[in-house]
């Protein structure tokens, strides 16, 4: 059986609430989907996601991943700002330091053998992907790996022209935190638009 799962960094409590409020403020006239909440779709920074066969054991893999990377008790990443991503996506983009790249490399190495490659969406329109994003998607079924990795908190999706207008006017309308702090690793079930719909396993960085 194929399971659509992801590995993510979760923000600390204050920044979880800040991301939820940021989505509300940004989409006050045009609500973004899916809605973020502490009880439902958690704000998160995806490290990797995709379709996996049932040989994958999330709790064990999360422990192995954390043991393979020396992460601090809290990982703070500088904000790059709100960005638009085709098609219709709004991201809270953050920096990509070597430690974050290393974390993704470890996650991909550990999880790639469990990918259900037959479940990749080969009909997906990748015409607006960059060359590196297309290569990433073809190899792993996920747009953002390796050189294409674009760490971000997804603020939601909307109609294309609306998304462009929201990004254009965002600096005049909302305040964006200068940095975001993450304190947990999570294995999650992917929901609408790849949302963090259900937590399967969680590990505080402090216990890694």
């Amino acid at each position: 059986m194929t399971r659509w799962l992801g590995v993510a960094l979760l923000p600390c409590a204050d920044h979880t609430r800040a991301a939820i409020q940021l989505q509300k403020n940004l989409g006050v006239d045009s609500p973004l989907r899916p809605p973020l909440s502490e009880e439902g779709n958690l704000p998160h920074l995806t490290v990797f996601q995709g379709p996996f066969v049932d040989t994958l054991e999330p709790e064990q893999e999360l422990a192995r991943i954390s043991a393979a990377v020396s992460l601090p008790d809290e990982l703070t990443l500088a904000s790059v700002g709100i960005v638009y991503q085709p098609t219709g996506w709004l991201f809270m983009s953050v920096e990509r330091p070597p430690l974050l790249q290393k974390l993704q490399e470890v996650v991909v190495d550990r999880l790639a053998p469990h990918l259900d490659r037959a479940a990749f969406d080969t009909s997906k329109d990748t015409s607006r992907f960059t060359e590196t994003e297309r290569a990433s998607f073809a190899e792993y079924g996920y747009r953002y790996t390796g050189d294409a990795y674009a760490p971000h908190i997804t603020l939601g999706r909307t109609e294309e022209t609306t998304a462009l207008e929201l990004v254009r006017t965002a600096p005049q309308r909302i305040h964006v935190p200068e940095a975001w702090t993450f304190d947990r690793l999570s294995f999650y079930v992917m929901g609408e638009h790849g949302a963090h719909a259900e937590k399967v396993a969680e590990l505080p960085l402090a216990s890694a």
Side-chain angles (χ1 to χ4, degrees):
M1 183 181 72
T2 302
R3 302 178 70 193
W4 290 83
L5 304 172
V7 173
L9 286 163
L10 297 182
C12 65
D14 286 349
H15 286 170
T16 292
R17 290 188 288 269
I20 292 168
Q21 191 60 50
L22 185 59
Q23 184 198 51
K24 290 178 180 177
N25 293 345
L26 185 63
V28 63
D29 297 318
S30 303
L32 302 172
R33 293 202 56 83
L36 300 174
S37 75
E38 293 182 81
E39 295 76 32
N41 297 316
L42 281 174
H44 65 288
L45 187 155
T46 297
V47 181
F48 186 60
Q49 64 182 27
F52 295 96
V53 295
D54 55 13
T55 56
L56 179 66
E57 298 181 355
E59 288 191 7
Q60 290 186 14
E61 289 299 341
L62 208 58
R64 290 167 180 157
I65 289 163
S66 65
V69 187
S70 297
L71 294 169
D73 291 356
E74 294 184 338
L75 178 61
T76 298
L77 301 172
S79 171
V80 177
I82 294 172
V83 300
Y84 160 82
Q85 183 75 350
T87 51
W89 294 97
L90 293 175
F91 289 170
M92 177 61 254
S93 185
V94 298
E95 64 176 329
R96 188 181 70 179
L99 181 59
L100 192 55
Q101 291 180 275
K102 174 65 176 177
L103 175 61
Q104 190 192 57
E105 289 170 6
V106 169
V107 170
V108 172
D109 285 347
R110 292 255 11 131
L111 301 189
H114 301 282
L115 282 169
D116 183 354
R117 296 181 180 276
F120 288 3
D121 184 4
T122 55
S123 66
K124 189 177 184 67
D125 180 9
T126 61
S127 61
R128 298 186 68 181
F129 286 19
T130 66
E131 184 176 343
T132 53
E133 287 170 357
R134 277 192 293 273
S136 174
F137 187 78
E139 179 68 18
Y140 298 113
Y142 181 54
R143 184 175 179 176
Y144 306 110
T145 66
D147 290 343
Y149 188 33
H152 62 274
I153 297 173
T154 300
L155 296 177
R157 198 175 192 185
T158 187
E159 194 274 330
E160 184 81 345
T161 56
T162 302
L164 289 166
E165 179 64 13
L166 290 177
V167 170
R168 186 185 68 81
T169 60
Q172 290 76 46
R173 296 189 296 109
I174 58 174
H175 169 72
V176 176
E178 294 183 358
W180 298 85
T181 297
F182 302 85
D183 61 3
R184 293 162 289 160
L185 275 171
S186 170
F187 232 116
Y188 64 95
V189 175
M190 294 168 59
E192 180 185 1
H193 297 319
H196 190 296
E198 179 185 341
K199 199 180 298 178
V200 177
E202 181 180 299
L203 188 67
L205 298 187
S207 66

